[in-house]
Amino acid sequence: MNISENEISEIVKNVLAEMNGQERKQLGVFDTMEEALAEVNKAYTLFRHYNKEQRENIIKKIRELTHNEAEIMSKMAVSETKMGNVYHKTLKHHLVADKTPGTEDLECRALSGDRGLTLVEQAPYGIIGAITPSTNPTCTVICNSIGMLAAGNGVVFNPHPHAKVCSCYAVDLVNRAVLAAGGPENIVVTVKNPTMDTSNMMVNHPSVRMLVATGGPGVVKMLLSSGKKAIGAGAGNPPVIVDETADIKKAAKDIIDGCTFDNNLPCIAEKECFAINSIADELVSEMQKNGAYLINSEQVKALEDVVLVTVPPKNPQDSPKRVINKNWVGRDAKKILAEIGVNAGNDVRCIICETEFSQAFVQTELMMPILAIVRCDTFEQALDMAVKAEHGCRHSAHLHSKNVDRMTAYAKAICTTIFVKNAPSYAGIGFNSEGHTTFTIAGPTGEGITSARSFTRQRRCVLVDSLSII
Ligand code: NAD
């Protein structure tokens, strides 16, 4: 995960040189948060007068540039964060460009009656402060920008420090699109070196009216304690259940496809599997045919020592905690296997193992292409375990079954924002499925699959005893 300043500037230089034949200053990227905030406020005084058509033209241009530069951004993100893979990240950028809603997402409600006409409009908040993750850095910047600009806001990003170069690149791309479509300079801004200090300044600045956090529990909690309107898109630990009515061949392929997408970085990706006993052998065998490498219990122990680290408790009475070793998040299965002495072929994309329910790979959001499978006697037992393994995040859950009653029972019990049946997890964000996409899935604060309307405030406009024309 450590990348030197020199390597970073080399990447930026190469990319910019590749695009323009020369280096140039990135648009919307500032040395200090003070400057960034001053500039976005200046831009907002102009942008607040832009109508929907003008905003839609900007969104159209962002979509176009995102398509054009999907691969560049994916290469940058993988190179900087050492996580995920270029092919899947490229697909994610195209998805963001195609399926993030624009201004069409905004609705006006009209209440017309005996006493006149009342309109309820979805208005911008003003300046939104957004914190973005290292796992989907550029996609989140672009997806948030489309939704927030469509709703008429200005945006200041405080990206993850481990993904600052590619995130700045995405901010620059958005600004290039805004300018090309006739918009103001610096309506989307960020800082070159995001830190906790720049984050605090952004969160507490009076001109920032709304906050949006996409990341783990720490950042969501911090934003929700800010006293401002906040949208929190936090962690999950999505379980997948496979029952005896499922098409096992398809279930196995779908689960491995979803679990290995961008090396399991998406928060919606299958993180642990509960399989009914009678089909478990077939499921494992089909997964092996789809690029899964089955490890035994000794290898599981060895793998635990690689992908987990022990942190001493803050309180001496408590026991030490095992947490993920961030060095292995989003890495290739083959590289992880090499650490435990397994030399796997190039077609291996996932590590699978059979474990007890209490095992760390079941209980922890690893964000690695590792899938623990727990055998269950009945569907009811699988459901109970899945609910417990999700830890009340209410994020995502998945099922392979043809039994509608079970689908209903599972959905009712687990209460997740996303519930996918008989498809890879990424169907939950509109990839090869119906529905729009987002990279900010707001479970804790309830906006769900966020879009432009999530970034608005309702305003009511009342005219009494007039303009009700019937
Ligand atoms: P992270 O929580 O480490 O970082 C997210 C951002 O928050 C970064 O910019 C980081 O610098 C900042 N941050 C962290 N703690 C902070 C604090 N106390 N105060 C201020 N800023 C703070 O997340 P990550 O490792 O980049 O991303 C992975 C996590 O994010 C996973 O848990 C994943 O499930 C979650 N995630 C959720 C969604 C969603 O839509 N719900 C999307 C992507 C990632």
Side-chain angles (χ1 to χ4, degrees), residues 266-341:
C267 48
I268 53 167
E270 294 84 349
K271 300 280 190 288
E272 64 280 343
C273 176
F274 299 97
I276 307 299
N277 255 325
S278 58
I279 50 87
D281 285 343
E282 189 189 351
L283 183 71
V284 168
S285 149
E286 289 298 328
M287 284 179 171
Q288 287 174 292
K289 289 178 198 162
N290 281 283
Y293 187 95
L294 179 66
I295 57 171
N296 61 32
S297 52
E298 265 171 40
Q299 290 169 316
V300 169
K301 286 214 160 55
L303 192 60
E304 281 181 10
D305 292 337
V306 173
V307 300
L308 300 172
V309 285
T310 305
V311 287
K314 281 192 190 127
N315 204 329
Q317 293 100 293
D318 297 337
S319 28
K321 258 173 80 182
R322 289 201 104 183
V323 299
I324 52 168
N325 179 346
K326 290 202 168 181
N327 292 334
W328 290 102
V329 170
R331 305 299 290 270
D332 293 343
K334 216 182 137 191
K335 286 190 188 138
I336 301 174
L337 280 170
E339 286 297 296
I340 58 164

Coordinates of all heavy atoms in Angstrom, one line a residue, residues 266-341:
P266 N -15.7 -4.3 -3.7 CA -17.1 -3.7 -3.5 C -17.7 -4.1 -2.2 O -17.6 -5.3 -1.8 CB -17.9 -4.2 -4.7 CG -16.9 -4.5 -5.7 CD -15.7 -5.0 -5.0
C267 N -18.3 -3.1 -1.5 CA -18.9 -3.4 -0.2 C -20.1 -4.4 -0.3 O -20.4 -5.0 0.7 CB -19.3 -2.1 0.5 SG -20.3 -1.0 -0.7
I268 N -20.6 -4.5 -1.5 CA -21.8 -5.4 -1.7 C -21.4 -6.8 -2.0 O -22.2 -7.7 -2.0 CB -22.6 -4.9 -2.9 CG1 -21.7 -4.8 -4.2 CG2 -23.4 -3.7 -2.6 CD1 -22.4 -4.6 -5.5
A269 N -20.1 -7.1 -2.3 CA -19.6 -8.4 -2.7 C -19.8 -9.5 -1.7 O -19.7 -9.3 -0.5 CB -18.1 -8.3 -3.2
E270 N -20.1 -10.7 -2.2 CA -20.2 -11.9 -1.3 C -19.0 -12.0 -0.4 O -17.9 -12.1 -0.9 CB -20.4 -13.1 -2.2 CG -21.6 -13.2 -3.0 CD -21.5 -12.5 -4.4 OE1 -20.6 -11.8 -4.6 OE2 -22.4 -12.7 -5.2
K271 N -19.2 -12.1 0.9 CA -18.1 -12.2 1.8 C -18.1 -13.5 2.5 O -17.0 -13.9 3.0 CB -18.1 -11.0 2.8 CG -18.1 -9.6 2.3 CD -16.7 -9.2 1.9 CE -16.5 -7.7 1.5 NZ -17.0 -7.3 0.2
E272 N -19.2 -14.2 2.7 CA -19.2 -15.6 3.3 C -20.4 -16.3 2.7 O -21.4 -15.6 2.3 CB -19.2 -15.5 4.8 CG -20.4 -14.9 5.4 CD -20.4 -13.4 5.5 OE1 -19.3 -12.8 5.3 OE2 -21.5 -12.7 5.6
C273 N -20.3 -17.6 2.7 CA -21.4 -18.4 2.0 C -22.0 -19.4 3.0 O -21.2 -20.1 3.7 CB -20.8 -19.1 0.8 SG -21.9 -20.1 -0.1
F274 N -23.3 -19.6 3.0 CA -23.9 -20.6 3.8 C -24.6 -21.6 2.9 O -25.5 -21.1 2.1 CB -24.9 -20.0 4.8 CG -24.2 -19.0 5.8 CD1 -24.2 -17.7 5.5 CD2 -23.6 -19.5 6.9 CE1 -23.5 -16.8 6.4 CE2 -22.9 -18.7 7.7 CZ -22.8 -17.3 7.5
A275 N -24.2 -22.8 2.9 CA -24.7 -23.8 1.9 C -25.4 -24.9 2.6 O -24.9 -25.5 3.6 CB -23.6 -24.3 1.1
I276 N -26.6 -25.3 2.1 CA -27.3 -26.4 2.7 C -26.5 -27.7 2.4 O -26.0 -27.9 1.2 CB -28.8 -26.5 2.0 CG1 -29.5 -25.2 2.2 CG2 -29.6 -27.7 2.7 CD1 -29.7 -24.7 3.5
N277 N -26.4 -28.6 3.4 CA -25.6 -29.8 3.3 C -25.7 -30.6 2.0 O -24.7 -31.0 1.4 CB -26.0 -30.7 4.5 CG -25.0 -30.7 5.6 OD1 -23.8 -30.6 5.3 ND2 -25.4 -30.7 6.8
S278 N -27.0 -30.8 1.6 CA -27.2 -31.7 0.5 C -26.6 -31.2 -0.8 O -26.4 -32.0 -1.7 CB -28.7 -32.0 0.4 OG -29.4 -30.7 0.1
I279 N -26.4 -29.9 -0.9 CA -25.8 -29.4 -2.2 C -24.4 -28.9 -2.0 O -23.8 -28.4 -3.0 CB -26.7 -28.4 -2.8 CG1 -27.1 -27.2 -1.8 CG2 -28.0 -29.0 -3.4 CD1 -26.1 -26.1 -1.7
A280 N -23.9 -28.9 -0.8 CA -22.6 -28.3 -0.5 C -21.4 -28.8 -1.3 O -20.6 -28.1 -1.9 CB -22.3 -28.3 1.0
D281 N -21.4 -30.2 -1.5 CA -20.3 -30.8 -2.2 C -20.3 -30.3 -3.7 O -19.3 -30.0 -4.2 CB -20.4 -32.3 -2.2 CG -20.0 -32.9 -0.8 OD1 -19.3 -32.2 -0.1 OD2 -20.3 -34.0 -0.5
E282 N -21.5 -30.4 -4.2 CA -21.6 -30.0 -5.7 C -21.3 -28.5 -5.8 O -20.6 -28.1 -6.8 CB -23.1 -30.2 -6.1 CG -23.3 -30.0 -7.6 CD -24.7 -30.1 -8.1 OE1 -25.6 -30.4 -7.3 OE2 -25.0 -29.7 -9.3
L283 N -21.7 -27.7 -4.9 CA -21.4 -26.2 -5.0 C -19.9 -26.0 -5.0 O -19.4 -25.3 -5.8 CB -22.1 -25.5 -3.8 CG -21.9 -24.0 -3.8 CD1 -22.7 -23.3 -4.9 CD2 -22.3 -23.4 -2.4
V284 N -19.2 -26.7 -4.0 CA -17.8 -26.5 -3.9 C -17.1 -26.9 -5.2 O -16.2 -26.3 -5.8 CB -17.2 -27.2 -2.7 CG1 -15.7 -27.3 -2.7 CG2 -17.7 -26.6 -1.4
S285 N -17.5 -28.1 -5.7 CA -16.9 -28.6 -6.9 C -17.2 -27.7 -8.1 O -16.3 -27.5 -8.9 CB -17.5 -30.0 -7.1 OG -17.5 -30.3 -8.5
E286 N -18.4 -27.1 -8.2 CA -18.7 -26.2 -9.3 C -17.9 -24.9 -9.2 O -17.4 -24.3 -10.1 CB -20.2 -25.9 -9.4 CG -21.0 -27.0 -9.9 CD -20.7 -27.4 -11.3 OE1 -20.3 -26.6 -12.1 OE2 -20.8 -28.6 -11.6
M287 N -17.7 -24.5 -7.9 CA -16.9 -23.3 -7.7 C -15.4 -23.5 -8.2 O -14.8 -22.6 -8.8 CB -16.8 -22.9 -6.2 CG -18.1 -22.2 -5.8 SD -18.0 -21.8 -4.0 CE -19.5 -20.8 -3.8
Q288 N -14.9 -24.7 -7.9 CA -13.6 -25.1 -8.3 C -13.5 -25.0 -9.9 O -12.4 -24.6 -10.4 CB -13.2 -26.5 -7.8 CG -12.9 -26.4 -6.3 CD -12.6 -27.8 -5.8 OE1 -13.5 -28.7 -5.7 NE2 -11.4 -28.1 -5.4
K289 N -14.5 -25.4 -10.6 CA -14.5 -25.3 -12.0 C -14.5 -23.9 -12.5 O -14.3 -23.6 -13.7 CB -15.7 -26.0 -12.6 CG -15.7 -27.5 -12.4 CD -16.9 -28.2 -13.0 CE -17.1 -29.6 -12.5 NZ -18.5 -30.1 -12.7
N290 N -14.8 -22.9 -11.6 CA -14.9 -21.5 -12.0 C -13.8 -20.7 -11.4 O -14.0 -19.5 -11.1 CB -16.3 -21.0 -11.6 CG -17.4 -21.4 -12.5 OD1 -17.5 -20.8 -13.6 ND2 -18.2 -22.4 -12.2
G291 N -12.7 -21.3 -11.2 CA -11.5 -20.5 -10.7 C -11.4 -20.4 -9.2 O -10.6 -19.5 -8.7
A292 N -12.0 -21.2 -8.5 CA -11.9 -21.2 -7.0 C -10.8 -22.3 -6.6 O -10.8 -23.4 -7.1 CB -13.2 -21.5 -6.3
Y293 N -10.0 -21.9 -5.6 CA -9.0 -22.9 -5.1 C -9.4 -23.2 -3.7 O -9.4 -22.3 -2.8 CB -7.6 -22.2 -5.2 CG -6.5 -23.2 -4.8 CD1 -5.8 -23.9 -5.8 CD2 -6.1 -23.4 -3.5 CE1 -4.8 -24.8 -5.5 CE2 -5.1 -24.3 -3.2 CZ -4.5 -25.0 -4.2 OH -3.5 -25.9 -3.9
L294 N -9.6 -24.5 -3.5 CA -10.1 -25.0 -2.1 C -8.9 -25.2 -1.2 O -8.0 -26.0 -1.6 CB -10.9 -26.3 -2.3 CG -11.4 -26.9 -1.0 CD1 -12.5 -26.0 -0.4 CD2 -12.1 -28.3 -1.3
I295 N -8.8 -24.6 -0.1 CA -7.7 -24.9 0.9 C -8.3 -25.7 2.1 O -9.4 -25.6 2.4 CB -7.0 -23.6 1.3 CG1 -8.0 -22.6 2.0 CG2 -6.3 -22.9 0.2 CD1 -7.4 -21.4 2.7
N296 N -7.4 -26.4 2.7 CA -7.8 -27.3 3.8 C -7.6 -26.5 5.2 O -7.2 -25.3 5.2 CB -7.0 -28.6 3.8 CG -5.5 -28.3 4.0 OD1 -5.1 -27.3 4.7 ND2 -4.6 -29.1 3.4
S297 N -8.0 -27.2 6.3 CA -8.1 -26.4 7.5 C -6.7 -25.9 8.0 O -6.6 -24.9 8.6 CB -8.8 -27.3 8.6 OG -8.1 -28.5 8.7
E298 N -5.7 -26.7 7.7 CA -4.3 -26.2 8.1 C -4.0 -25.0 7.3 O -3.4 -24.0 7.8 CB -3.3 -27.3 7.8 CG -3.0 -28.2 9.0 CD -2.1 -29.3 8.6 OE1 -1.2 -29.2 7.8 OE2 -2.4 -30.4 9.1
Q299 N -4.3 -25.0 6.0 CA -4.0 -23.8 5.2 C -4.8 -22.6 5.6 O -4.4 -21.5 5.5 CB -4.3 -24.2 3.7 CG -3.2 -25.1 3.2 CD -3.6 -25.7 1.8 OE1 -4.8 -26.0 1.6 NE2 -2.7 -25.7 0.9
V300 N -6.0 -22.9 6.1 CA -6.9 -21.8 6.6 C -6.2 -21.1 7.8 O -6.1 -19.9 7.9 CB -8.3 -22.3 7.1 CG1 -9.0 -21.2 7.9 CG2 -9.1 -22.8 5.9
K301 N -5.6 -21.9 8.7 CA -4.9 -21.3 9.8 C -3.7 -20.5 9.3 O -3.4 -19.4 9.8 CB -4.3 -22.5 10.7 CG -5.4 -23.1 11.5 CD -4.9 -23.6 12.9 CE -6.0 -23.8 13.9 NZ -7.0 -24.7 13.4
A302 N -2.9 -21.0 8.4 CA -1.8 -20.3 7.8 C -2.3 -19.0 7.2 O -1.6 -17.9 7.4 CB -1.0 -21.1 6.8
L303 N -3.4 -19.1 6.5 CA -3.9 -17.9 5.8 C -4.4 -16.8 6.8 O -4.2 -15.6 6.6 CB -5.1 -18.3 4.9 CG -5.6 -17.2 3.9 CD1 -4.5 -16.8 3.0 CD2 -6.7 -17.8 3.1
E304 N -4.9 -17.3 7.9 CA -5.4 -16.3 9.0 C -4.2 -15.5 9.4 O -4.3 -14.3 9.6 CB -5.9 -17.1 10.2 CG -7.3 -17.6 10.1 CD -7.8 -18.3 11.3 OE1 -7.1 -18.3 12.4 OE2 -8.8 -19.0 11.2
D305 N -3.0 -16.1 9.5 CA -1.8 -15.4 10.0 C -1.3 -14.4 8.9 O -0.6 -13.4 9.3 CB -0.7 -16.4 10.3 CG -1.0 -17.2 11.6 OD1 -1.9 -16.7 12.4 OD2 -0.5 -18.3 11.8
V306 N -1.7 -14.6 7.7 CA -1.3 -13.7 6.6 C -2.3 -12.5 6.6 O -1.9 -11.3 6.6 CB -1.3 -14.4 5.3 CG1 -1.0 -13.4 4.1 CG2 -0.2 -15.5 5.3
V307 N -3.6 -12.8 6.5 CA -4.5 -11.7 6.2 C -5.1 -11.0 7.4 O -5.9 -10.1 7.3 CB -5.7 -12.2 5.3 CG1 -5.1 -12.7 4.0 CG2 -6.6 -13.3 5.9
L308 N -4.8 -11.5 8.6 CA -5.3 -10.9 9.8 C -4.1 -10.5 10.7 O -3.1 -11.1 10.7 CB -6.2 -11.9 10.6 CG -7.4 -12.4 9.9 CD1 -8.1 -13.5 10.8 CD2 -8.5 -11.3 9.6
V309 N -4.3 -9.4 11.4 CA -3.3 -9.0 12.4 C -3.9 -8.8 13.8 O -5.1 -8.5 13.9 CB -2.6 -7.7 12.0 CG1 -1.6 -7.9 10.9 CG2 -3.6 -6.6 11.6
T310 N -3.1 -9.1 14.8 CA -3.7 -9.0 16.2 C -3.4 -7.6 16.7 O -2.2 -7.1 16.7 CB -3.0 -10.0 17.1 OG1 -3.3 -11.3 16.4 CG2 -3.7 -10.1 18.4
V311 N -4.4 -6.9 17.2 CA -4.2 -5.6 17.8 C -4.5 -5.7 19.3 O -5.5 -6.3 19.7 CB -5.0 -4.5 17.2 CG1 -4.5 -4.1 15.8 CG2 -6.5 -4.8 17.1
P312 N -3.5 -5.2 20.2 CA -3.7 -5.3 21.6 C -5.0 -4.5 22.0 O -5.3 -3.5 21.4 CB -2.5 -4.7 22.2 CG -1.8 -4.0 21.1 CD -2.3 -4.5 19.8
P313 N -5.7 -4.9 23.0 CA -6.9 -4.2 23.4 C -6.6 -2.8 24.1 O -5.5 -2.7 24.7 CB -7.5 -5.1 24.5 CG -6.4 -5.9 25.0 CD -5.4 -6.0 23.9
K314 N -7.5 -1.9 23.9 CA -7.3 -0.6 24.6 C -7.4 -0.7 26.1 O -6.7 -0.1 26.8 CB -8.4 0.4 24.1 CG -8.0 1.0 22.7 CD -8.9 2.2 22.3 CE -8.7 2.5 20.9 NZ -9.9 2.6 20.1
N315 N -8.3 -1.6 26.5 CA -8.6 -1.9 27.9 C -7.9 -3.2 28.2 O -8.2 -4.2 27.6 CB -10.1 -2.0 28.0 CG -10.6 -1.7 29.4 OD1 -9.8 -1.9 30.3 ND2 -11.8 -1.2 29.5
P316 N -7.0 -3.2 29.2 CA -6.3 -4.4 29.5 C -7.2 -5.6 29.9 O -6.8 -6.8 29.7 CB -5.4 -4.0 30.7 CG -5.6 -2.6 31.0 CD -6.7 -2.1 30.1
Q317 N -8.4 -5.4 30.4 CA -9.3 -6.5 30.7 C -9.8 -7.2 29.4 O -10.2 -8.4 29.5 CB -10.5 -6.0 31.5 CG -10.3 -5.5 32.9 CD -10.3 -4.0 32.8 OE1 -9.4 -3.4 32.2 NE2 -11.2 -3.4 33.5
D318 N -9.9 -6.5 28.3 CA -10.4 -7.1 27.1 C -9.3 -8.0 26.4 O -8.1 -7.9 26.7 CB -10.8 -6.0 26.1 CG -12.0 -5.2 26.7 OD1 -12.7 -5.7 27.6 OD2 -12.1 -4.0 26.3
S319 N -9.8 -8.9 25.5 CA -8.9 -9.8 24.8 C -8.4 -9.1 23.5 O -9.2 -8.2 23.0 CB -9.4 -11.1 24.5 OG -10.8 -11.1 24.4
P320 N -7.2 -9.4 23.0 CA -6.8 -8.8 21.8 C -7.7 -9.1 20.6 O -8.4 -10.1 20.6 CB -5.4 -9.4 21.5 CG -5.2 -10.4 22.6 CD -6.4 -10.5 23.5
K321 N -7.7 -8.1 19.6 CA -8.7 -8.3 18.5 C -7.9 -8.7 17.3 O -6.8 -8.2 17.1 CB -9.4 -7.0 18.3 CG -10.8 -6.9 18.8 CD -11.4 -5.6 18.7 CE -12.0 -5.1 17.4 NZ -12.6 -3.8 17.5
R322 N -8.5 -9.5 16.4 CA -7.9 -9.8 15.1 C -8.6 -9.0 14.1 O -9.8 -9.1 13.9 CB -8.0 -11.3 14.8 CG -7.0 -12.1 15.7 CD -6.7 -13.5 15.1 NE -5.4 -13.5 14.5 CZ -4.9 -14.5 13.9 NH1 -5.6 -15.6 13.7 NH2 -3.7 -14.5 13.4
V323 N -7.9 -8.2 13.4 CA -8.5 -7.3 12.3 C -7.8 -7.6 11.0 O -6.7 -8.2 11.0 CB -8.4 -5.8 12.7 CG1 -9.1 -5.5 14.0 CG2 -6.9 -5.4 12.8
I324 N -8.3 -7.1 9.9 CA -7.7 -7.4 8.6 C -6.4 -6.7 8.5 O -6.1 -5.6 9.0 CB -8.6 -6.9 7.4 CG1 -9.1 -5.5 7.5 CG2 -9.8 -7.9 7.2 CD1 -9.7 -4.9 6.3
N325 N -5.5 -7.4 7.8 CA -4.2 -6.8 7.4 C -4.4 -6.1 6.1 O -4.6 -6.7 5.1 CB -3.2 -8.0 7.3 CG -1.8 -7.5 6.9 OD1 -1.7 -6.3 6.5 ND2 -0.8 -8.4 7.0
K326 N -4.4 -4.8 6.2 CA -4.8 -3.9 5.0 C -3.9 -4.2 3.8 O -4.2 -3.9 2.7 CB -4.8 -2.4 5.4 CG -5.9 -2.1 6.3 CD -6.3 -0.7 6.3 CE -7.7 -0.5 7.0 NZ -8.2 0.8 7.1
N327 N -2.6 -4.7 4.1 CA -1.7 -5.0 3.0 C -2.3 -6.0 2.0 O -1.8 -6.1 0.9 CB -0.4 -5.5 3.5 CG 0.4 -4.5 4.2 OD1 0.1 -3.3 4.0 ND2 1.2 -4.9 5.2
W328 N -3.3 -6.8 2.5 CA -3.8 -7.8 1.6 C -5.2 -7.5 1.0 O -5.8 -8.3 0.3 CB -3.8 -9.2 2.3 CG -2.4 -9.6 2.4 CD1 -1.6 -9.6 3.6 CD2 -1.5 -10.1 1.4 NE1 -0.3 -10.0 3.3 CE2 -0.2 -10.3 2.0 CE3 -1.7 -10.3 0.0 CZ2 0.9 -10.7 1.2 CZ3 -0.6 -10.8 -0.7 CH2 0.6 -11.0 -0.1
V329 N -5.8 -6.4 1.4 CA -7.1 -6.0 0.9 C -7.0 -5.8 -0.6 O -6.1 -5.2 -1.2 CB -7.6 -4.7 1.6 CG1 -8.9 -4.2 0.9 CG2 -7.9 -5.0 3.0
G330 N -8.0 -6.5 -1.3 CA -8.1 -6.3 -2.8 C -7.0 -6.9 -3.6 O -6.8 -6.5 -4.8
R331 N -6.2 -7.8 -3.0 CA -5.1 -8.4 -3.8 C -5.5 -9.6 -4.5 O -6.5 -10.2 -4.2 CB -3.9 -8.7 -2.8 CG -3.4 -7.6 -2.0 CD -2.9 -6.4 -2.8 NE -1.6 -6.7 -3.5 CZ -0.4 -6.5 -2.9 NH1 -0.3 -5.9 -1.7 NH2 0.7 -6.8 -3.6
D332 N -4.7 -10.0 -5.5 CA -5.1 -11.2 -6.3 C -5.0 -12.5 -5.5 O -4.1 -12.6 -4.6 CB -4.1 -11.4 -7.5 CG -4.2 -10.3 -8.5 OD1 -5.2 -9.6 -8.5 OD2 -3.3 -10.1 -9.3
A333 N -5.9 -13.4 -5.7 CA -6.0 -14.7 -5.0 C -4.6 -15.4 -5.1 O -4.1 -16.0 -4.2 CB -7.1 -15.5 -5.5
K334 N -4.1 -15.3 -6.3 CA -2.8 -16.0 -6.6 C -1.7 -15.6 -5.7 O -0.9 -16.3 -5.1 CB -2.5 -15.8 -8.0 CG -1.8 -16.9 -8.7 CD -1.4 -16.6 -10.1 CE -0.1 -17.2 -10.3 NZ 0.7 -16.9 -11.4
K335 N -1.6 -14.2 -5.5 CA -0.6 -13.6 -4.6 C -0.8 -14.0 -3.2 O 0.1 -14.3 -2.4 CB -0.6 -12.1 -4.8 CG 0.0 -11.7 -6.1 CD 0.2 -10.2 -6.1 CE 0.6 -9.7 -7.5 NZ 0.0 -8.5 -8.0
I336 N -2.1 -14.0 -2.8 CA -2.4 -14.4 -1.4 C -2.0 -15.8 -1.1 O -1.4 -16.2 -0.1 CB -3.9 -14.1 -1.0 CG1 -4.2 -12.6 -1.3 CG2 -4.2 -14.5 0.4 CD1 -5.7 -12.3 -1.1
L337 N -2.3 -16.7 -2.1 CA -2.0 -18.1 -2.0 C -0.5 -18.3 -1.9 O 0.0 -19.2 -1.1 CB -2.6 -18.9 -3.2 CG -4.1 -19.2 -3.1 CD1 -4.6 -19.8 -4.4 CD2 -4.4 -20.2 -1.9
A338 N 0.2 -17.6 -2.6 CA 1.7 -17.7 -2.6 C 2.3 -17.5 -1.2 O 3.3 -18.2 -0.8 CB 2.3 -16.7 -3.6
E339 N 1.6 -16.7 -0.4 CA 2.1 -16.4 0.9 C 2.0 -17.6 1.8 O 2.6 -17.7 2.9 CB 1.2 -15.3 1.5 CG 1.6 -13.9 1.0 CD 3.0 -13.5 1.3 OE1 3.3 -13.3 2.5 OE2 3.8 -13.3 0.4
I340 N 1.1 -18.6 1.5 CA 1.0 -19.8 2.3 C 1.6 -21.0 1.5 O 1.2 -22.1 1.8 CB -0.5 -20.1 2.8 CG1 -1.5 -20.2 1.6 CG2 -1.0 -19.0 3.7 CD1 -2.8 -20.9 1.9
G341 N 2.4 -20.7 0.6 CA 3.2 -21.7 -0.1 C 2.4 -22.4 -1.2 O 2.8 -23.5 -1.7

